[in-house]
Amino acid sequence: MDRILLGHGSGGRMMHQLIREHIAPALAVKDLGDSAVVDFDGDARRLAFTTDSYVVSPLFFPGGNIGDLAVNGTVNDLAMVGAKPLYLTAGFIIEEGFPLEDLKKILSSMAAAAREAGVAIVAGDTKVVERGKGDGIFINTSGVGALTGDISLGPQQIRPGDRVLISGSIGRHGIAVLAERNGLAFDPPVLSDSAALNSLVSKLLDPPGALRMMRDPTRGGVATTLKEMATESGCAITISENLLPLSGGVKGACELLGLDPLYSANEGVLIAVVAHAAATLLLHRMRGHLLGKEAAIIGEVSAGDERTSGMVLLKTVIGGTRIVDMLPGEQLPRIC
Amino acid sequence: MDRILLGHGSGGRMMHQLIREHIAPALAVKDLGDSAVVDFDGDARRLAFTTDSYVVSPLFFPGGNIGDLAVNGTVNDLAMVGAKPLYLTAGFIIEEGFPLEDLKKILSSMAAAAREAGVAIVAGDTKVVERGKGDGIFINTSGVGALTGDISLGPQQIRPGDRVLISGSIGRHGIAVLAERNGLAFDPPVLSDSAALNSLVSKLLDPPGALRMMRDPTRGGVATTLKEMATESGCAITISENLLPLSGGVKGACELLGLDPLYSANEGVLIAVVAHAAATLLLHRMRGHLLGKEAAIIGEVSAGDERTSGMVLLKTVIGGTRIVDMLPGEQLPRIC
């Protein structure tokens, strides 16, 4: 058997074999019953719960594949609210005819990403759809994390004067996927930044209250995430184009392709709004972490006035000011 | 806008509008950020965590649609391990061109099913794939439940002498979907049994220890679930064909179509293995519940011998004994 068949999704013996021989051992899922039963941190009175479906096309791209993306993305969603990611589930929707070898590579990447992030994949589900009714494989991961103490992050914590930090150079994932999809090769190649951010986040939770809000700029890119932060807080956010960390590879690719790196997806970068007084300290903490070497303070929050509250303003390199909005529709489809 | 477009999945303004105007209000999801942060039952030291993707075709069938199915199925997976279902997430993979009206109907069914089951949908995710790369809509639901006290259900609890109970008549969901898919109309119509079983389960947890294991016979039907129970416990399970609750409609449809109701999916029926001494009591509790009116004791567990341990034996109406195994491949594809 080197391809997935419809029978692998039927609930019968073929499905049991696929799960028992390939999926469960690869992901180290122990409990194949209805639900996993797991211990929950005795100190935590609150849990974080999130879900994300991954439909990236192509499935394999420079710097990663749909498997590590699916683990890292959901780990990051938990980390962004200040939770310690603990458990993931994995749901597979596989198109009939999908190569078993590709499935094994993807499972192996998921397992490695979960180990790296320190989370356990505790339950799974496998469905098979007819040829032409899917696109190779879609993966849903859902995650549970524990929130200890009284951590409370969110747009309501943002105050005028706060600083905006970014943990790494922007737009890499979107460009890596686009290049692979269109058969473009950059030299050096632009690699996806796909990574779990929970370890980096753990450096930012102290001193208490200094961290106001985090979000990882995935679909929609940095522009969309900043716009969400501005809208939800009711403040104005002003960033400087020349402070944005941008690799030569992404810059060149964007110029060539007529894309704006502000809208290109990231999968291992976070934006944090922090108290002014703690901004330098937290910047140094970020830079001391492997995933934060290129971290930068890119702007600040102001109360805004009638015209600018809820808006994102970009000071351009040539000295102008541009309003940054969400894309109305799509720039790059299916990048995660 | 009456159809879903690719831009609805891009992370930009169209996606935000779709979520804010349609998905979040329909499902009463409050937190549109990365992860939902929710209280977790102070007494519970363990949680149950499960995931399921729903790819049923057709999306609408007699007695339900993919929306209530997705809620009930995941609620049931939590209930089967004895947990109190609390929170669900919903992940949508929508094919470009999908009618907004259908999405609204599905969301409305999800919300009604969640209310009925007493669970909250706390987080969601929406992706859009190109036309021809999906099949209308796929829904993933993941769920978290609380396990209080020292409830421990599972195949390791099963003992020789235990009785096997079923909560309702078998095979309805599989036949309802098959009929819809093939344009068959039965009179009276066979309706899906899609329902949340957590309320029924709450009647079965006392006296402590009497309930050994539960599972809901979805894909693969009653035969597959019994075979799993036998294999995992290492015991033999003997059931009597004439004790299996079977509606005239399902019986007639199966005869007409050459199908075995033992392999037809159920979405609102559970199989429970219980201590002999408590079997009659628990049967009456089941029958006192709206979803258990047709409950029956269908068989019993024995240690088995070299030949029969791990096997399911069916005493047929005409007096023979048949070995019941999992289907090797598929009987009915995509029934959930």
Side-chain angles (χ1 to χ4, degrees), chain B residues 4 40 78 81 84 87 91 95 97 102 110 114 142 145 180 193 208 211 213 215 229 233 256 261 270 273 287 312:
Chain B
I4 300 298
F40 188 67
L78 294 170
V81 297
K84 183 186 173 194
Y87 304 111
E95 188 185 6
D102 285 353
M110 291 182 80
S142 298
E180 186 68 22
D193 55 332
L211 180 63
M213 178 182 188
R215 202 161 274 179
M229 288 174 156
S233 68
L256 190 71
L270 67 85
V273 180
R287 288 193 174 158
V312 178

PDB file of all heavy atoms in Angstrom, chain B residues 4 40 78 81 84 87 91 95 97 102 110 114 142 145 180 193 208 211 213 215 229 233 256 261 270 273 287 312:
ATOM      1  N   ILE B   4     -19.384  32.191  -1.029  1.00  0.00           N
ATOM      2  CA  ILE B   4     -18.076  32.359  -0.406  1.00  0.00           C
ATOM      3  C   ILE B   4     -17.030  32.501  -1.510  1.00  0.00           C
ATOM      4  O   ILE B   4     -17.008  31.721  -2.458  1.00  0.00           O
ATOM      5  CB  ILE B   4     -17.750  31.142   0.483  1.00  0.00           C
ATOM      6  CG1 ILE B   4     -18.793  30.999   1.589  1.00  0.00           C
ATOM      7  CG2 ILE B   4     -16.334  31.262   1.060  1.00  0.00           C
ATOM      8  CD1 ILE B   4     -18.876  32.156   2.553  1.00  0.00           C
ATOM      9  N   PHE B  40     -11.879  26.783  33.920  1.00  0.00           N
ATOM     10  CA  PHE B  40     -11.923  25.324  33.945  1.00  0.00           C
ATOM     11  C   PHE B  40     -12.366  24.885  35.329  1.00  0.00           C
ATOM     12  O   PHE B  40     -11.880  25.389  36.333  1.00  0.00           O
ATOM     13  CB  PHE B  40     -10.558  24.735  33.596  1.00  0.00           C
ATOM     14  CG  PHE B  40     -10.603  23.249  33.414  1.00  0.00           C
ATOM     15  CD1 PHE B  40     -11.292  22.711  32.341  1.00  0.00           C
ATOM     16  CD2 PHE B  40      -9.998  22.400  34.318  1.00  0.00           C
ATOM     17  CE1 PHE B  40     -11.367  21.340  32.169  1.00  0.00           C
ATOM     18  CE2 PHE B  40     -10.070  21.020  34.151  1.00  0.00           C
ATOM     19  CZ  PHE B  40     -10.754  20.498  33.078  1.00  0.00           C
ATOM     20  N   LEU B  78     -16.611  13.157  23.943  1.00  0.00           N
ATOM     21  CA  LEU B  78     -16.274  13.552  25.320  1.00  0.00           C
ATOM     22  C   LEU B  78     -17.104  12.774  26.329  1.00  0.00           C
ATOM     23  O   LEU B  78     -16.596  12.287  27.340  1.00  0.00           O
ATOM     24  CB  LEU B  78     -16.502  15.059  25.511  1.00  0.00           C
ATOM     25  CG  LEU B  78     -15.589  15.984  24.696  1.00  0.00           C
ATOM     26  CD1 LEU B  78     -16.067  17.425  24.792  1.00  0.00           C
ATOM     27  CD2 LEU B  78     -14.139  15.865  25.156  1.00  0.00           C
ATOM     28  N   VAL B  81     -16.101   9.044  27.464  1.00  0.00           N
ATOM     29  CA  VAL B  81     -15.093   8.757  28.492  1.00  0.00           C
ATOM     30  C   VAL B  81     -15.558   9.211  29.875  1.00  0.00           C
ATOM     31  O   VAL B  81     -14.799   9.175  30.841  1.00  0.00           O
ATOM     32  CB  VAL B  81     -13.705   9.374  28.155  1.00  0.00           C
ATOM     33  CG1 VAL B  81     -13.150   8.756  26.882  1.00  0.00           C
ATOM     34  CG2 VAL B  81     -13.776  10.903  28.031  1.00  0.00           C
ATOM     35  N   LYS B  84     -17.731  15.650  31.360  1.00  0.00           N
ATOM     36  CA  LYS B  84     -18.791  16.630  31.125  1.00  0.00           C
ATOM     37  C   LYS B  84     -18.320  17.566  30.017  1.00  0.00           C
ATOM     38  O   LYS B  84     -17.375  18.324  30.212  1.00  0.00           O
ATOM     39  CB  LYS B  84     -19.039  17.424  32.412  1.00  0.00           C
ATOM     40  CG  LYS B  84     -20.170  18.419  32.294  1.00  0.00           C
ATOM     41  CD  LYS B  84     -20.283  19.293  33.532  1.00  0.00           C
ATOM     42  CE  LYS B  84     -21.328  20.373  33.266  1.00  0.00           C
ATOM     43  NZ  LYS B  84     -21.289  21.445  34.260  1.00  0.00           N
ATOM     44  N   TYR B  87     -16.537  22.860  26.292  1.00  0.00           N
ATOM     45  CA  TYR B  87     -16.191  23.832  25.264  1.00  0.00           C
ATOM     46  C   TYR B  87     -15.883  23.142  23.943  1.00  0.00           C
ATOM     47  O   TYR B  87     -15.273  22.083  23.921  1.00  0.00           O
ATOM     48  CB  TYR B  87     -14.946  24.624  25.683  1.00  0.00           C
ATOM     49  CG  TYR B  87     -15.075  25.305  27.018  1.00  0.00           C
ATOM     50  CD1 TYR B  87     -14.324  24.879  28.108  1.00  0.00           C
ATOM     51  CD2 TYR B  87     -15.948  26.377  27.185  1.00  0.00           C
ATOM     52  CE1 TYR B  87     -14.432  25.512  29.335  1.00  0.00           C
ATOM     53  CE2 TYR B  87     -16.066  27.012  28.415  1.00  0.00           C
ATOM     54  CZ  TYR B  87     -15.304  26.572  29.486  1.00  0.00           C
ATOM     55  OH  TYR B  87     -15.426  27.194  30.699  1.00  0.00           O
ATOM     56  N   GLY B  91     -13.693  24.577  13.219  1.00  0.00           N
ATOM     57  CA  GLY B  91     -12.820  24.952  12.107  1.00  0.00           C
ATOM     58  C   GLY B  91     -13.522  24.643  10.786  1.00  0.00           C
ATOM     59  O   GLY B  91     -13.959  23.512  10.572  1.00  0.00           O
ATOM     60  N   GLU B  95     -15.270  25.506   0.386  1.00  0.00           N
ATOM     61  CA  GLU B  95     -14.892  25.565  -1.026  1.00  0.00           C
ATOM     62  C   GLU B  95     -15.420  26.871  -1.624  1.00  0.00           C
ATOM     63  O   GLU B  95     -16.567  27.261  -1.374  1.00  0.00           O
ATOM     64  CB  GLU B  95     -15.485  24.353  -1.766  1.00  0.00           C
ATOM     65  CG  GLU B  95     -15.002  24.210  -3.195  1.00  0.00           C
ATOM     66  CD  GLU B  95     -15.713  23.054  -3.930  1.00  0.00           C
ATOM     67  OE1 GLU B  95     -16.644  22.458  -3.349  1.00  0.00           O
ATOM     68  OE2 GLU B  95     -15.346  22.784  -5.081  1.00  0.00           O
ATOM     69  N   GLY B  97     -17.192  29.454  -3.741  1.00  0.00           N
ATOM     70  CA  GLY B  97     -18.486  29.333  -4.414  1.00  0.00           C
ATOM     71  C   GLY B  97     -19.585  28.740  -3.548  1.00  0.00           C
ATOM     72  O   GLY B  97     -20.737  28.654  -3.973  1.00  0.00           O
ATOM     73  N   ASP B 102     -26.462  28.298   2.633  1.00  0.00           N
ATOM     74  CA  ASP B 102     -26.190  26.981   3.204  1.00  0.00           C
ATOM     75  C   ASP B 102     -25.310  27.104   4.441  1.00  0.00           C
ATOM     76  O   ASP B 102     -25.515  26.413   5.440  1.00  0.00           O
ATOM     77  CB  ASP B 102     -25.516  26.073   2.163  1.00  0.00           C
ATOM     78  CG  ASP B 102     -26.498  25.576   1.114  1.00  0.00           C
ATOM     79  OD1 ASP B 102     -27.715  25.819   1.273  1.00  0.00           O
ATOM     80  OD2 ASP B 102     -26.059  24.945   0.134  1.00  0.00           O
ATOM     81  N   MET B 110     -25.563  24.224  14.128  1.00  0.00           N
ATOM     82  CA  MET B 110     -24.498  24.042  15.113  1.00  0.00           C
ATOM     83  C   MET B 110     -24.858  24.730  16.424  1.00  0.00           C
ATOM     84  O   MET B 110     -24.682  24.170  17.509  1.00  0.00           O
ATOM     85  CB  MET B 110     -23.170  24.621  14.598  1.00  0.00           C
ATOM     86  CG  MET B 110     -22.572  23.861  13.445  1.00  0.00           C
ATOM     87  SD  MET B 110     -20.968  24.560  12.926  1.00  0.00           S
ATOM     88  CE  MET B 110     -19.877  23.845  14.166  1.00  0.00           C
ATOM     89  N   ALA B 114     -25.411  22.972  20.004  1.00  0.00           N
ATOM     90  CA  ALA B 114     -24.561  23.328  21.146  1.00  0.00           C
ATOM     91  C   ALA B 114     -25.426  23.731  22.343  1.00  0.00           C
ATOM     92  O   ALA B 114     -25.161  23.323  23.475  1.00  0.00           O
ATOM     93  CB  ALA B 114     -23.598  24.456  20.763  1.00  0.00           C
ATOM     94  N   SER B 142     -13.384  20.386  17.775  1.00  0.00           N
ATOM     95  CA  SER B 142     -12.619  19.798  18.855  1.00  0.00           C
ATOM     96  C   SER B 142     -13.319  20.156  20.144  1.00  0.00           C
ATOM     97  O   SER B 142     -14.035  21.166  20.198  1.00  0.00           O
ATOM     98  CB  SER B 142     -11.184  20.310  18.844  1.00  0.00           C
ATOM     99  OG  SER B 142     -10.560  19.925  17.637  1.00  0.00           O
ATOM    100  N   GLY B 145     -13.665  18.563  27.838  1.00  0.00           N
ATOM    101  CA  GLY B 145     -14.607  18.264  28.903  1.00  0.00           C
ATOM    102  C   GLY B 145     -13.875  18.058  30.206  1.00  0.00           C
ATOM    103  O   GLY B 145     -12.662  17.855  30.222  1.00  0.00           O
ATOM    104  N   GLU B 180     -30.264   9.847   1.053  1.00  0.00           N
ATOM    105  CA  GLU B 180     -30.172  11.197   0.501  1.00  0.00           C
ATOM    106  C   GLU B 180     -29.181  11.227  -0.659  1.00  0.00           C
ATOM    107  O   GLU B 180     -29.429  11.847  -1.697  1.00  0.00           O
ATOM    108  CB  GLU B 180     -29.743  12.164   1.604  1.00  0.00           C
ATOM    109  CG  GLU B 180     -29.751  13.614   1.184  1.00  0.00           C
ATOM    110  CD  GLU B 180     -31.152  14.145   0.917  1.00  0.00           C
ATOM    111  OE1 GLU B 180     -32.134  13.563   1.423  1.00  0.00           O
ATOM    112  OE2 GLU B 180     -31.267  15.149   0.172  1.00  0.00           O
ATOM    113  N   ASP B 193     -30.102   9.621  13.494  1.00  0.00           N
ATOM    114  CA  ASP B 193     -30.282   9.656  14.949  1.00  0.00           C
ATOM    115  C   ASP B 193     -29.403  10.708  15.613  1.00  0.00           C
ATOM    116  O   ASP B 193     -29.331  10.759  16.847  1.00  0.00           O
ATOM    117  CB  ASP B 193     -29.999   8.278  15.550  1.00  0.00           C
ATOM    118  CG  ASP B 193     -28.626   7.761  15.178  1.00  0.00           C
ATOM    119  OD1 ASP B 193     -28.113   8.130  14.098  1.00  0.00           O
ATOM    120  OD2 ASP B 193     -28.048   6.979  15.949  1.00  0.00           O
ATOM    121  N   PRO B 208     -21.039   3.865  41.380  1.00  0.00           N
ATOM    122  CA  PRO B 208     -19.656   3.960  40.917  1.00  0.00           C
ATOM    123  C   PRO B 208     -19.089   2.604  40.506  1.00  0.00           C
ATOM    124  O   PRO B 208     -19.296   1.608  41.207  1.00  0.00           O
ATOM    125  CB  PRO B 208     -18.905   4.494  42.143  1.00  0.00           C
ATOM    126  CG  PRO B 208     -19.930   5.157  42.983  1.00  0.00           C
ATOM    127  CD  PRO B 208     -21.216   4.422  42.737  1.00  0.00           C
ATOM    128  N   LEU B 211     -20.477   1.053  35.500  1.00  0.00           N
ATOM    129  CA  LEU B 211     -20.264   1.317  34.073  1.00  0.00           C
ATOM    130  C   LEU B 211     -18.791   1.068  33.763  1.00  0.00           C
ATOM    131  O   LEU B 211     -17.912   1.686  34.355  1.00  0.00           O
ATOM    132  CB  LEU B 211     -20.650   2.769  33.770  1.00  0.00           C
ATOM    133  CG  LEU B 211     -20.505   3.240  32.325  1.00  0.00           C
ATOM    134  CD1 LEU B 211     -21.419   2.453  31.393  1.00  0.00           C
ATOM    135  CD2 LEU B 211     -20.833   4.736  32.228  1.00  0.00           C
ATOM    136  N   MET B 213     -17.378   0.751  30.346  1.00  0.00           N
ATOM    137  CA  MET B 213     -16.872   1.381  29.131  1.00  0.00           C
ATOM    138  C   MET B 213     -18.063   1.768  28.267  1.00  0.00           C
ATOM    139  O   MET B 213     -19.076   1.075  28.250  1.00  0.00           O
ATOM    140  CB  MET B 213     -16.019   0.372  28.356  1.00  0.00           C
ATOM    141  CG  MET B 213     -15.477   0.916  27.042  1.00  0.00           C
ATOM    142  SD  MET B 213     -14.523  -0.332  26.135  1.00  0.00           S
ATOM    143  CE  MET B 213     -13.857   0.722  24.838  1.00  0.00           C
ATOM    144  N   ARG B 215     -18.920   3.456  24.183  1.00  0.00           N
ATOM    145  CA  ARG B 215     -18.422   3.971  22.907  1.00  0.00           C
ATOM    146  C   ARG B 215     -19.639   4.178  22.000  1.00  0.00           C
ATOM    147  O   ARG B 215     -20.601   3.419  22.070  1.00  0.00           O
ATOM    148  CB  ARG B 215     -17.426   2.988  22.292  1.00  0.00           C
ATOM    149  CG  ARG B 215     -16.493   3.637  21.282  1.00  0.00           C
ATOM    150  CD  ARG B 215     -15.234   2.803  21.024  1.00  0.00           C
ATOM    151  NE  ARG B 215     -14.170   3.079  21.977  1.00  0.00           N
ATOM    152  CZ  ARG B 215     -12.982   2.454  21.953  1.00  0.00           C
ATOM    153  NH1 ARG B 215     -12.719   1.521  21.054  1.00  0.00           N
ATOM    154  NH2 ARG B 215     -12.051   2.766  22.845  1.00  0.00           N
ATOM    155  N   MET B 229     -14.133  -3.227  21.289  1.00  0.00           N
ATOM    156  CA  MET B 229     -14.262  -3.513  22.723  1.00  0.00           C
ATOM    157  C   MET B 229     -13.703  -4.895  23.053  1.00  0.00           C
ATOM    158  O   MET B 229     -13.017  -5.077  24.067  1.00  0.00           O
ATOM    159  CB  MET B 229     -15.732  -3.431  23.140  1.00  0.00           C
ATOM    160  CG  MET B 229     -16.278  -2.001  23.175  1.00  0.00           C
ATOM    161  SD  MET B 229     -18.070  -2.000  23.516  1.00  0.00           S
ATOM    162  CE  MET B 229     -18.290  -0.347  24.220  1.00  0.00           C
ATOM    163  N   SER B 233     -10.236  -5.370  25.195  1.00  0.00           N
ATOM    164  CA  SER B 233     -10.388  -5.967  26.525  1.00  0.00           C
ATOM    165  C   SER B 233      -9.819  -7.375  26.582  1.00  0.00           C
ATOM    166  O   SER B 233      -9.571  -7.909  27.658  1.00  0.00           O
ATOM    167  CB  SER B 233     -11.865  -6.011  26.919  1.00  0.00           C
ATOM    168  OG  SER B 233     -12.559  -6.945  26.095  1.00  0.00           O
ATOM    169  N   LEU B 256     -33.333  -4.128   1.064  1.00  0.00           N
ATOM    170  CA  LEU B 256     -33.427  -3.644  -0.309  1.00  0.00           C
ATOM    171  C   LEU B 256     -32.052  -3.406  -0.929  1.00  0.00           C
ATOM    172  O   LEU B 256     -31.803  -3.716  -2.094  1.00  0.00           O
ATOM    173  CB  LEU B 256     -34.211  -2.325  -0.292  1.00  0.00           C
ATOM    174  CG  LEU B 256     -34.653  -1.738  -1.625  1.00  0.00           C
ATOM    175  CD1 LEU B 256     -35.759  -2.591  -2.228  1.00  0.00           C
ATOM    176  CD2 LEU B 256     -35.163  -0.300  -1.424  1.00  0.00           C
ATOM    177  N   PRO B 261     -27.079  -3.813   8.729  1.00  0.00           N
ATOM    178  CA  PRO B 261     -27.266  -2.702   9.676  1.00  0.00           C
ATOM    179  C   PRO B 261     -26.208  -2.675  10.778  1.00  0.00           C
ATOM    180  O   PRO B 261     -25.995  -1.637  11.394  1.00  0.00           O
ATOM    181  CB  PRO B 261     -28.664  -2.941  10.251  1.00  0.00           C
ATOM    182  CG  PRO B 261     -28.994  -4.364   9.952  1.00  0.00           C
ATOM    183  CD  PRO B 261     -28.236  -4.724   8.706  1.00  0.00           C
ATOM    184  N   LEU B 270     -25.371   4.827  21.918  1.00  0.00           N
ATOM    185  CA  LEU B 270     -24.144   4.388  22.578  1.00  0.00           C
ATOM    186  C   LEU B 270     -24.241   2.925  22.970  1.00  0.00           C
ATOM    187  O   LEU B 270     -25.337   2.388  23.208  1.00  0.00           O
ATOM    188  CB  LEU B 270     -23.832   5.251  23.807  1.00  0.00           C
ATOM    189  CG  LEU B 270     -24.745   5.191  25.021  1.00  0.00           C
ATOM    190  CD1 LEU B 270     -24.365   4.030  25.971  1.00  0.00           C
ATOM    191  CD2 LEU B 270     -24.660   6.506  25.799  1.00  0.00           C
ATOM    192  N   VAL B 273     -20.851  -1.221  28.255  1.00  0.00           N
ATOM    193  CA  VAL B 273     -20.600  -2.480  28.955  1.00  0.00           C
ATOM    194  C   VAL B 273     -20.724  -2.176  30.441  1.00  0.00           C
ATOM    195  O   VAL B 273     -20.084  -1.232  30.938  1.00  0.00           O
ATOM    196  CB  VAL B 273     -19.211  -3.047  28.623  1.00  0.00           C
ATOM    197  CG1 VAL B 273     -18.983  -4.361  29.372  1.00  0.00           C
ATOM    198  CG2 VAL B 273     -19.064  -3.258  27.126  1.00  0.00           C
ATOM    199  N   ARG B 287     -33.947   3.730  29.532  1.00  0.00           N
ATOM    200  CA  ARG B 287     -35.297   3.771  28.949  1.00  0.00           C
ATOM    201  C   ARG B 287     -36.112   4.948  29.456  1.00  0.00           C
ATOM    202  O   ARG B 287     -37.080   5.366  28.817  1.00  0.00           O
ATOM    203  CB  ARG B 287     -36.027   2.457  29.237  1.00  0.00           C
ATOM    204  CG  ARG B 287     -35.466   1.315  28.400  1.00  0.00           C
ATOM    205  CD  ARG B 287     -36.381   0.102  28.448  1.00  0.00           C
ATOM    206  NE  ARG B 287     -35.923  -0.933  27.542  1.00  0.00           N
ATOM    207  CZ  ARG B 287     -36.235  -2.216  27.648  1.00  0.00           C
ATOM    208  NH1 ARG B 287     -37.011  -2.635  28.649  1.00  0.00           N
ATOM    209  NH2 ARG B 287     -35.792  -3.088  26.776  1.00  0.00           N
ATOM    210  N   VAL B 312     -16.063 -11.176  18.600  1.00  0.00           N
ATOM    211  CA  VAL B 312     -17.484 -10.872  18.770  1.00  0.00           C
ATOM    212  C   VAL B 312     -18.274 -11.967  18.067  1.00  0.00           C
ATOM    213  O   VAL B 312     -18.047 -12.260  16.886  1.00  0.00           O
ATOM    214  CB  VAL B 312     -17.852  -9.502  18.166  1.00  0.00           C
ATOM    215  CG1 VAL B 312     -19.341  -9.236  18.318  1.00  0.00           C
ATOM    216  CG2 VAL B 312     -17.032  -8.396  18.812  1.00  0.00           C
TER     217      VAL B 312
END
